[in-house]
């Protein structure tokens, strides 16, 4: 059974940040703790479980009243390419629509560009370099509210 929810227990939060760390920070040789930031307090957290195993994570942040941003999207390394990334992004987009946002933006790593293009995101152009090494690209998607 697949379930996407907000982590609640201490164990669930630990696994949530651990997955984020292993997928998004460890390959860049960053220390534990670097996977968290101030936005974790106000962001909306998504954790995808299959049969109670954590498989994917994502965070939704407000940018302003009409725009929101997806951040820290990660799928367990041996389970990538099986549709879980799409599944958690769909949940995140649905939530963003329900909250009334019109636009969802994100900053994608180069190797994730085809994934987001497939999900209907438009490339704006290069944005920032994470830790001065990893080029990111700004992308956006208009939220249609079922139109
Ligand atoms: C990028 C990431 C989130 C994608 O999640 P995923 O579960 O591997 O992707 P999915 O299996 O859901 O793919 C969804 C669709 O995108 C396509 N896709 C995914 N990666 C692709 C790629 N590199 N090139 C072309 N198509 C790709 C899939 O073929 C699939 O298409 P389909 O719907 O026609 O079958 C995941 O691979 C990941 O965590 N990567 C490492 C961390 C990362 O880069 N996070 C994003 C930071 S910006």
């Amino acid at each position: 059974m697949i379930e996407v929810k907000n982590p609640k227990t201490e164990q669930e939060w630990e696994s949530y940040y651990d997955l984020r760390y292993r997928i998004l920070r460890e390959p860049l040789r960053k220390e534990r703790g670097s996977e968290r930031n101030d936005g974790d307090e106000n962001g909306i957290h998504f954790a995808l479980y299959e049969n109670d195993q954590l498989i994917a994570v994502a965070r939704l942040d407000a940018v302003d009243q009409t725009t929101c941003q997806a951040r820290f999207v990660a799928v367990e390394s041996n389970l990538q390419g099986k549709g879980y990334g799409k599944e958690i992004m769909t949940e995140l987009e649905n939530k963003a629509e329900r909250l009334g946002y019109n636009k969802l933006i994100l900053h994608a790593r180069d190797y994730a560009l085809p994934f987001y293009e497939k999900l209907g995101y438009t490339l704006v152009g290069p944005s920032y370099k994470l830790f001065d090494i990893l080029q990111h690209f700004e992308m956006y998607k208009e939220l249609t509210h079922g139109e």
Side-chain angles (χ1 to χ4, degrees), residues 1-19:
M1 187 192 79
I2 292 184
E3 180 188 21
V4 179
K5 62 175 191 178
N6 196 336
K8 284 202 173 57
T9 67
E10 200 173 314
Q11 175 61 44
E12 283 171 353
W13 280 113
E14 207 172 290
S15 318
Y16 178 85
Y17 286 117
D18 179 63
L19 179 56

Side-chain angles (χ1 to χ4, degrees), residues 16-72:
Y16 178 85
Y17 286 117
D18 179 63
L19 179 56
R20 224 197 229 180
Y21 174 73
R22 287 185 292 102
I23 305 301
L24 296 172
R25 290 294 180 267
E26 197 173 22
L28 303 176
R29 298 167 185 269
K30 291 292 163 185
E31 67 285 2
R32 278 204 187 256
S34 63
E35 77 282 9
R36 306 177 187 221
N37 70 16
D38 290 347
D40 284 321
E41 208 170 311
N42 293 322
I44 302 174
H45 300 269
F46 297 82
L48 184 153
Y49 300 86
E50 185 164 40
N51 302 326
D52 294 329
Q53 182 200 349
L54 178 66
I55 293 179
V57 298
R59 191 179 93 195
L60 178 66
D61 287 1
V63 174
D64 58 35
Q65 282 201 330
T66 57
T67 305
C68 58
Q69 180 174 356
R71 300 195 63 180
F72 297 103

Side-chain angles (χ1 to χ4, degrees), residues 103-128 135-142:
K103 188 177 175 184
L104 182 49
I105 67 163
L106 55 85
H107 295 271
R109 299 166 177 220
D110 52 3
Y111 54 80
L113 284 175
F115 165 70
Y116 290 116
E117 275 166 353
K118 196 99 194 229
L119 296 189
Y121 288 79
T122 303
L123 177 63
V124 178
S127 52
Y128 66 94
Q135 182 66 55
H136 279 62
F137 295 85
E138 184 173 351
M139 305 184 86
Y140 75 92
K141 183 172 182 173
E142 304 286 354

Side-chain angles (χ1 to χ4, degrees), residues 85-99:
K86 184 176 178 176
E87 180 103 18
I88 200 164
M89 283 302 296
T90 302
E91 289 283 336
L92 183 148
E93 289 169 10
N94 289 343
K95 178 74 176 181
E97 286 194 349
R98 286 201 299 277
L99 291 173

